[in-house]
Each structure stands twice: as structure tokens, then as C-alpha cells.
Amino acid sequence: MPGKNFDLRTTSQETAVIADAVVGNLAQRLAHRLLEGPPHPAPDDPARALALLHLLDQLQQAAERLQREAAVAAARAGAGYPQLGAACGLTRQGARRRWPGLFHHSDETPTEHPMMTTPARPFDVLLVEDDVADAMLIEEALSERGARNLVQVTDGVAALEHLRTPGNPRPDLIVLDLNMPRMNGRELLKVLKTDEDLQTIPVVVLTTSTAPGDVTDAYSSHANAYVTKPVNLDEFEQAVQSIDAFYLDTAARPRP
């Protein structure tokens, strides 16, 4: 069952002791078999220690390869990054960093939040965001939903330049921050929604501001939605994926 917890008969500490003992014993036996020279080298001879170090490095690499294979198998069976992280004592973000791309690069394309439809082409998303950390989180969250062509710009001037450059794809969705240099999100939104060529592109304001005036102004300028950025990383990711799920999977999109 997706999300089902696994149960071990040992604690993490007990499992670590067992694993260390088994791997250590295996490495010692392999080193003894492969080491050339006398079976009992002199105490000051580093050969045995170096052979053991080499073998432990090889075992570590093998374990990492096997871990990746196990993570792929778990993802295909329905586990998400929270479950993968829990199995290794990692956070969700830590599991994603260790095994990136599990949910859009494997043969069966498992996803934590399965897409409702399979698009004929990757969706194009324009992200207008000047915060590098937030932009990375948004890109990661969107990548888990499926193929996305994400273009990030850092202010409204750059956004308009991109949108009005011939040959650039028309975005299926614009995700817009409010507080940016040069032209901020409030100013850009007004331009977008009064431009006959651009006004039908869905625009979701994603910002830290909870000010009632900002919410009212955004909707008065015909924003399609206003979402406040959660502080919690998991909630932030869920918010972005909910925007993606509705505007790119559920809602009908106007033809260019």
C-alpha cells in the first residue's frame, strides 16, 4: 500500500550494530583473501589496512548502488520521498537530494501525486520570482508533477521581455511573486491583465504577504488566485503542487 510504514524487529541502533558487524567481517575476509604477501604482515606494515580501506570503499559504492535500486523499487510500488527518507533516517528533502528524479525519470514514471492527464507536450511555466531559494523549491515541486519547461525571471521587466519576445513559448501558467525590484508583481499583474495578447494566461500570485490589501488588490487586478507561501517546507511544496494540479491538470486552458 502506498505510504504504508515498514516495521523492523530491531531498533535503528541495533540494526546499525548488526550491519557494522556483518560488513566488517566481510571486509576482513575479503582483504585476507585478496591481500598479496604474508598472511600476517608486520604491525607497522600499512598493506592490510590499505587493502581493507579499499574494500570498504568498494562496499560503500556497492551499497549506494543497491540503495538507489531499492529506492526506485519502493517509488514504483507507491512510496514517496517521506517514506524513503524515514527508511534511512532522512528528511523528505534529504531523500530527494540523495535520490533525485525518482518520480519522473524511471520507466514507469511513478509520482507522489499522479497526474490526471498526460499532456501531449511538457507544460510551460513562467516563474517571476527573485528569491533563489524559493525558486529552487518551486522548481523541485513542479518537477515531481511531471515534465515542466520552467523559465524563471527575477522581475516584471524581464517577464514582459520574455513574454513579448517572438519565438518564446506562451506560458500555460504564470507564478508571480509580489515584492521584486524594477517592476514588482503588482505592477506586472496590471500590465498582464490589460494586455489583449496576455490577459488569458492564468496568473497565480504566490507570495509571503498576508496583508488584506495585497489580496484585494491582486484580485482587483484579475489575478486568478492568491496563495500565501507556507513557512513549512512540506506545506510549501504541497501548495505549489496544488496550484499545478488545478491549473495544468484540471482547469481548461484557453487556446493561444
Side-chain angles (χ1 to χ4, degrees):
M1 293 290 292
K4 182 179 180 181
N5 294 326
F6 62 95
D7 296 317
L8 296 176
R9 290 178 294 175
T10 59
T11 65
S12 296
Q13 292 80 2
E14 291 169 338
T15 303
V17 170
I18 295 170
D20 286 351
V22 171
V23 172
N25 182 53
L26 173 62
Q28 291 283 357
R29 288 190 287 114
L30 288 173
H32 181 72
R33 289 180 59 186
L34 298 177
L35 183 64
E36 296 180 357
H40 301 290
D44 59 349
D45 185 353
R48 186 179 183 85
L50 290 172
L52 182 60
L53 180 63
H54 170 72
L55 285 165
L56 286 170
D57 178 67
Q58 295 299 313
L59 288 171
Q60 181 180 4
Q61 293 182 44
E64 290 174 355
R65 289 192 294 270
L66 292 171
Q67 275 195 323
R68 172 78 187 189
E69 292 176 6
V72 170
R76 287 176 173 169
Y81 277 122
Q83 291 77 30
L84 297 176
C88 298
L90 300 171
T91 63
R92 179 185 193 136
Q93 297 292 332
R96 181 183 292 110
R97 285 192 293 270
R98 179 176 290 187
W99 304 295
L102 289 185
F103 297 97
H104 58 285
H105 288 162
S106 66
D107 294 337
E108 296 180 17
T109 315
T111 59
E112 289 189 79
H113 303 280
M115 294 180 64
M116 294 177 63
T117 59
T118 301
R121 61 170 179 79
F123 289 121
D124 291 293
V125 178
L126 177 61
L127 173 61
V128 191
E129 169 67 71
D130 66 331
D131 187 288
V132 176
D134 283 356
M136 290 179 63
L137 288 173
I138 292 168
E139 182 175 8
E140 286 184 355
L142 290 175
S143 71
E144 289 184 13
R145 293 277 306 152
R148 301 288 182 268
N149 294 326
L150 181 71
V151 173
Q152 182 207 352
V153 294
T154 56
D155 59 55
V157 174
L160 289 175
E161 289 176 353
H162 175 79
L163 289 166
R164 290 171 174 168
T165 297
N168 283 345
R170 181 183 177 87
D172 298 290
L173 174 68
I174 297 175
V175 179
L176 176 63
D177 189 24
L178 288 184
N179 300 311
M180 296 176 295
R182 295 204 295 179
M183 178 185 288
N184 63 37
R186 301 169 187 83
E187 297 166 330
L188 175 61
L189 181 61
K190 292 177 180 178
V191 173
L192 293 175
K193 292 304 181 180
T194 55
D195 186 305
E196 292 185 1
D197 294 329
L198 303 174
Q199 62 188 199
T200 58
I201 301 174
V203 179
V204 175
V205 174
L206 181 62
T207 181
T208 56
S209 175
T210 59
D214 283 338
V215 178
T216 300
D217 288 346
Y219 283 117
S220 296
S221 297
H222 306 292
N224 295 83
Y226 189 104
V227 179
T228 301
K229 294 177 181 176
V231 176
N232 178 275
L233 289 179
D234 286 343
E235 292 177 359
F236 187 106
E237 181 180 77
Q238 291 169 9
V240 174
Q241 292 181 341
S242 294
I243 294 168
D244 182 283
F246 180 75
Y247 283 98
L248 299 182
D249 283 350
T250 305
R253 294 179 300 279
R255 293 184 179 274

